[in-house]
Amino acid sequence: MSEKRLTFKEMCAEFDVTPRTLRYYEYIELLQPEKEGRSRFYGPRELARMTLILRGRRFGFALEDIRQWLMIYEKEGTEAQMREWISLADRQMIELSEQKKQLEETMQELRTLRDETAKTLG
């Protein structure tokens, strides 16, 4: 049974990313597709990595943090990677909590200003 491999174009469509994004992820070594001539092919390893990259981005992680985290798996294995994931997740939750607090404060200030403005209109 052959492994599933996607072309560059199929990879962009599968993950809904632009060609520029995919090329950038390769450039910063998040992905290493197989190359045959000028064509690139993405196997199961790259598909799994892309899933993790996009999930990490959705949670607000920097690409460099994601790259470092993926390298841990290559060098130290799953357990070390999971330990680092917990550490990264803890730090990110603190960051997101602070952003949420700041956003709530900004929304309250805007609401207050809006209500005061509405009152002046009668």
Side-chain angles (χ1 to χ4, degrees), residues 90-106:
D90 287 346
R91 285 197 316 260
Q92 190 62 13
M93 284 191 293
I94 290 167
E95 175 67 26
L96 290 171
S97 291
E98 182 58 33
Q99 289 176 10
K100 180 182 175 186
K101 179 182 168 218
Q102 290 173 3
L103 184 58
E104 287 172 347
E105 289 171 0
T106 300

Side-chain angles (χ1 to χ4, degrees), residues 50-64:
M50 188 65 165
T51 299
L52 293 172
I53 292 164
L54 294 179
R55 186 176 295 156
R57 296 299 291 150
R58 187 170 69 91
F59 292 138
F61 292 110
L63 287 173
E64 181 57 23

